[in-house]
Amino acid sequence: MGAMKRMEVSKGAISSLLMDAYQKRNKIGMISFRKEDAELILPFTSSVELGEKLLRNLPTGGKTPLSKAFFKSYEAIKNEIRKNPNIIPVALFISDFKPNVAMKDDYIKEVFDICEKFAEDEITVILVDTEPKSFIKIGIGENLAKKYGFEYYKIDDLNVGDIVGIVNNLAIGGNIDR
């Protein structure tokens, strides 16, 4: 039941962000990661129809190649910055932050190494942690936020409107120290 609620909030947030992006002429891209890979399933666009179509059929579950997702996201953002250096990129990651698939060797070290690049390039990162409340807590998302100054939220504490508000606030420079 909890997993379904978290997925519902996640998909709702992405749909709302797409609607908001369309109205403001912003662009949203989406990377999906599961099994062994991460894939750019929505190149940067403001198309609500395309985004919602992809969300409907978005499979979840299985392995978590988190380092691949962070790497693919970093590449996509850097590519978009090369096309338009005036953008203010905001990367939103919705995950339980429990990696278990590596690109090469150490999947946890890889995640931290890639997050270092986001921090060095001053790309705003928002982590929305879907890790359920339990006795055993891994806490990688929270550790990334503390180490690199990323925004961090537990999905159970948010609703769809909160996520859109957080992204919009950071996209207009609300808490960005540049």
Side-chain angles (χ1 to χ4, degrees):
M1 186 74 147
M4 290 301 288
K5 179 190 179 283
R6 289 188 298 274
M7 184 52 67
E8 197 174 292
V9 171
S10 299
K11 287 184 175 184
I14 295 167
S15 290
S16 293
L17 286 167
L18 278 164
M19 294 285 251
D20 196 59
Y22 175 77
Q23 293 169 358
K24 294 179 179 175
R25 300 189 190 276
N26 292 334
K27 293 182 179 181
I28 300 282
M30 187 169 31
I31 308 257
S32 172
F33 59 100
R34 64 185 294 270
K35 294 186 179 177
E36 302 289 326
D37 208 5
E39 161 183 25
L40 178 66
I41 61 168
L42 180 65
F44 286 98
T45 183
S46 56
S47 171
V48 177
E49 296 83 18
L50 180 58
E52 287 184 344
K53 178 182 172 191
L54 291 169
L55 280 176
R56 251 191 315 273
N57 302 317
L58 184 64
T60 60
K63 295 181 180 178
T64 307
L66 192 61
S67 57
K68 289 182 182 183
F70 273 91
F71 181 73
K72 187 80 88 174
S73 299
Y74 179 78
E75 282 185 325
I77 289 170
K78 291 298 283 186
N79 194 29
E80 197 65 22
I81 290 170
R82 280 193 270 306
K83 292 178 191 172
N84 182 358
N86 297 319
I87 65 170
I88 300 173
V90 175
L92 169 66
F93 295 94
I94 303 174
S95 174
D96 64 4
F97 301 103
K98 293 181 180 177
N100 56 17
V101 175
M103 290 189 300
K104 292 183 184 173
D105 298 318
D106 181 344
Y107 48 81
I108 293 175
K109 182 181 180 318
E110 289 174 353
V111 169
F112 278 84
D113 289 348
I114 295 164
C115 285
E116 178 92 23
K117 292 180 180 195
F118 278 98
E120 286 172 358
D121 290 346
E122 298 181 339
I123 297 170
T124 300
V125 175
I126 303 166
L127 306 175
V128 177
D129 197 340
T130 65
E131 182 178 31
K133 293 177 183 175
S134 68
F135 181 70
I136 300 171
K137 183 179 175 190
I138 307 283
I140 291 174
E142 194 169 5
N143 291 335
L144 289 169
K146 286 177 184 172
K147 182 166 183 166
Y148 299 111
F150 299 161
E151 296 286 321
Y152 176 81
Y153 303 91
K154 292 291 293 174
I155 198 156
D156 294 331
D157 299 332
L158 301 172
N159 63 39
V160 170
D162 294 335
I163 295 172
V164 173
I166 291 164
V167 170
N168 283 333
N169 185 44
L170 292 172
I172 60 170
N175 292 329
I176 301 172
D177 183 21
R178 293 198 189 260

